[in-house]
Amino acid sequence: MALGRRRGCAGHRESQKLLKKALAGGAWANNGDDGTARAQESTNTKNHVISERRRREKLNEMFLILKSLVPSIHKVDKASILAETIAYLRELEQKVEELESNKAAGTTVVRKRHEVGGKKVLAGSKRKASELGGEDTPLPKDGPSNIVNVTVTDKEVLLEVQCRWKELLMTQVFDAIKSLRLDVLSVRASTPDGLLALKIRAQFAGPGAVEPGMISEALQKAIRRR
Amino acid sequence: MALGRRRGCAGHRESQKLLKKALAGGAWANNGDDGTARAQESTNTKNHVISERRRREKLNEMFLILKSLVPSIHKVDKASILAETIAYLRELEQKVEELESNKAAGTTVVRKRHEVGGKKVLAGSKRKASELGGEDTPLPKDGPSNIVNVTVTDKEVLLEVQCRWKELLMTQVFDAIKSLRLDVLSVRASTPDGLLALKIRAQFAGPGAVEPGMISEALQKAIRRR
DNA sequence: AGAGACACGTGAAGC
DNA sequence: TGCTTCACGTGTCTC
């Protein structure tokens, strides 16, 4: 899936993959001339290969979904996705607990976002809290650079935008999306101190296929516009 | 890691792994007799191999954590773990949203069409006893009715929309927002099976004050539009 | 130049 | 029996 490589948009991995796939297909297509156990063997291994390929694809797709679901994932590698998911899960759980206890008591507490929680409230987790080579920065120090990440899966499009906040920014972004004929499925956007973190899951509205490059470009333009 | 295989307890995979590791170590240990590029090459590939091994271990460890964190994981294969995590994440998120909206809106248990009036009262919300520990309410079983909730505070506007999903719904909503001259600050929208749950925080762009009634009306129209 | 990340094909094990 | 899942070593890319 090249979770991280997709950033540049070039997709070298993809082309390589397709090339390999095509090569394999061509090679295996016409080897039935020795109609014996060999052919059967070949068929079996071929099926095995494509099965494995499907499995990997499925897994990677889920990784993508996870990435889209968890805010403050800015690194794109699998380990980070899992780690952030874990952290977010704990945070959410703890927040639910807090809110529910607040429901009982009348007072409302100011809730702040993300804290590094050491304590666990789930039963049965006897796990030692080690692991992770010390990668625990909740909000990395991303520079002033804008980040536009576009991922296209099957019929779904994942949009990730990060940039400085400015007036009517969101409006411009959604105008761009509208122009791209994308139908928005889910949105998550927040503006913590002057920054925008935006994550959108969408699908193509109608059969008009659009290149990821175009999407990325349009978004870039939208967030650059004065 | 043999996530699923570990069930039996024997751990055949483990022994096999260790065996292989030992074999490799022994084999590579004494091949420095040809102290040339070959040895260097071997060292490199060996490092590569163990690096990859570590990476896999880390990943699998996180899978385990995830599995321990998410209740209602019954199958143990990786795909299921990811899938259940995704589902649980969505569920949790939605619950948080619900609880928070209850807190913010203050006694808005019975949602009415467009409640007006800037008030951030935080009275003891008398929620009807619904869920709680039992995370078994994936969706608030509201009828087919649309819910549009508009709250105006100082210079901020809180929009809450719930309705059936349809194509280009989001686009229409954001068009309405644009027309209302609202500048979006944060968004959270999700579409769990055919429904839309949308929450927007915005502020007035420019001095043109708009009545909450108009906002509500415009939103209603937007989500009604065919 | 070296470490880290990913996809790939392959052998093994469970159902 | 065949299908699925996994771990593994390897080639390749990026930083």
Side-chain angles (χ1 to χ4, degrees):
Chain A
M1 186 222 302
L3 266 155
R5 310 296 174 269
R6 192 100 65 172
R7 181 167 8 136
C9 103
H12 309 85
R13 264 266 164 48
E14 249 51 316
S15 56
Q16 166 190 324
K17 178 157 107 188
L18 290 195
L19 178 62
K20 267 193 183 171
K21 197 182 292 188
L23 272 181
W28 295 122
N30 54 357
N31 63 347
D33 39 8
D34 58 354
T36 63
R38 290 302 282 165
Q40 172 69 355
E41 179 83 10
S42 297
T43 309
N44 281 356
T45 61
K46 193 186 76 172
N47 281 343
H48 183 31
V49 165
I50 70 174
S51 272
E52 182 62 13
R53 201 134 51 185
R54 291 191 113 68
R55 173 177 166 271
R56 274 193 299 258
E57 274 175 18
K58 195 171 70 179
L59 242 39
N60 283 333
E61 207 170 315
M62 295 211 209
F63 266 100
L64 267 194
I65 298 181
L66 221 46
K67 180 161 77 86
S68 84
L69 235 45
V70 179
S72 73
I73 289 192
H74 300 124
K75 306 185 63 176
V76 282
D77 71 276
K78 279 176 175 170
S80 298
I81 291 181
L82 284 192
E84 302 262 18
T85 300
I86 292 172
Y88 184 53
L89 218 46
R90 288 175 167 154
E91 184 187 330
L92 262 192
E93 240 167 40
Q94 193 233 19
K95 187 187 282 188
V96 165
E97 194 177 317
E98 181 183 326
L99 284 179
E100 277 180 350
S101 71
N102 277 352
K103 187 181 59 182
T107 50
T108 313
V109 190
V110 254
R111 69 191 157 77
K112 279 300 182 193
R113 202 124 203 303
H114 69 342
E115 70 293 324
V116 192
K119 66 191 181 100
K120 191 61 215 74
V121 284
L122 206 96
S125 69
K126 56 181 187 287
R127 184 196 61 267
K128 63 191 157 113
S130 58
E131 94 282 322
L132 272 243
E135 190 270 325
D136 220 16
T137 356
L139 207 39
K141 57 293 165 190
D142 272 316
S145 60
N146 297 336
I147 299 179
V148 173
N149 203 342
V150 178
T151 312
V152 179
T153 331
D154 273 334
K155 278 299 179 190
E156 259 190 47
V157 186
L158 245 48
L159 269 30
E160 223 178 320
V161 176
Q162 215 182 317
C163 63
R164 279 215 74 77
W165 159 263
K166 68 185 181 203
E167 245 186 36
L168 293 182
L169 175 60
M170 226 75 124
T171 302
Q172 292 171 13
V173 169
F174 275 98
D175 277 346
I177 288 177
K178 184 183 173 187
S179 303
L180 288 167
R181 296 176 176 278
L182 285 178
D183 200 3
V184 176
L185 289 174
S186 74
V187 187
R188 175 185 303 235
S190 60
T191 58
D193 46 275
L195 255 62
L196 165 73
L198 172 63
K199 222 173 258 195
I200 296 182
R201 201 162 54 88
Q203 61 187 6
F204 292 117
V210 188
E211 272 91 48
M214 285 183 51
I215 300 178
S216 180
E217 207 174 328
L219 281 182
Q220 298 263 12
K221 207 164 76 178
I223 65 177
R224 256 164 188 60
R225 236 176 53 190
R226 178 69 271 156
Chain B
M1 171 203 293
L3 267 156
R5 309 291 175 270
R6 190 100 65 172
R7 185 166 6 140
C9 102
H12 309 86
R13 263 263 162 52
E14 249 49 315
S15 56
Q16 168 191 323
K17 178 156 109 186
L18 288 196
L19 177 61
K20 265 191 184 172
K21 197 183 291 190
L23 270 181
W28 293 121
N30 55 357
N31 64 346
D33 38 9
D34 57 351
T36 63
R38 290 299 284 166
Q40 172 69 358
E41 181 84 6
S42 298
T43 308
N44 281 357
T45 60
K46 194 186 80 174
N47 283 344
H48 185 32
V49 165
I50 69 173
S51 273
E52 181 63 12
R53 201 136 50 187
R54 292 192 111 68
R55 172 178 167 270
R56 274 194 299 258
E57 274 174 19
K58 196 170 70 176
L59 241 39
N60 282 333
E61 203 173 323
M62 296 210 217
F63 266 101
L64 265 195
I65 298 180
L66 222 45
K67 182 162 71 86
S68 85
L69 231 46
V70 178
S72 74
I73 288 191
H74 303 115
K75 308 186 61 177
V76 284
D77 72 274
K78 281 176 176 170
S80 298
I81 291 182
L82 284 191
E84 302 261 21
T85 299
I86 291 172
Y88 185 54
L89 216 47
R90 288 183 163 141
E91 187 186 323
L92 259 192
E93 226 164 65
Q94 189 239 14
K95 186 189 280 191
V96 165
E97 198 173 312
E98 186 181 327
L99 286 177
E100 267 183 358
S101 76
N102 279 349
K103 182 182 64 179
T107 71
T108 322
V109 186
V110 203
R111 358 309 155 85
K112 15 181 186 273
R113 305 268 165 103
H114 80 70
E115 95 167 28
V116 184
K119 53 182 187 170
K120 38 184 55 176
V121 282
L122 23 86
S125 55
K126 310 262 298 179
R127 266 185 63 78
K128 58 187 172 190
S130 56
E131 86 301 307
L132 179 46
E135 56 271 330
D136 249 358
T137 7
L139 268 189
K141 280 312 290 174
D142 274 320
S145 62
N146 298 335
I147 300 177
V148 174
N149 204 339
V150 178
T151 311
V152 180
T153 331
D154 277 339
K155 277 296 182 189
E156 258 191 47
V157 186
L158 229 58
L159 304 178
E160 242 179 300
V161 177
Q162 245 179 105
C163 63
R164 278 215 73 76
W165 160 262
K166 67 185 183 203
E167 243 185 40
L168 293 182
L169 174 59
M170 226 73 122
T171 302
Q172 292 171 13
V173 169
F174 275 97
D175 276 347
I177 288 176
K178 184 183 175 187
S179 302
L180 288 167
R181 296 174 176 279
L182 285 178
D183 199 3
V184 178
L185 289 174
S186 73
V187 188
R188 175 182 300 223
S190 60
T191 60
D193 44 86
L195 256 61
L196 165 72
L198 173 63
K199 198 162 155 189
I200 296 182
R201 202 161 55 85
Q203 61 188 5
F204 293 116
V210 189
E211 271 90 48
M214 285 183 52
I215 301 177
S216 180
E217 207 175 326
L219 281 182
Q220 298 264 10
K221 205 163 79 176
I223 65 177
R224 258 166 186 59
R225 236 175 57 191
R226 181 66 268 159

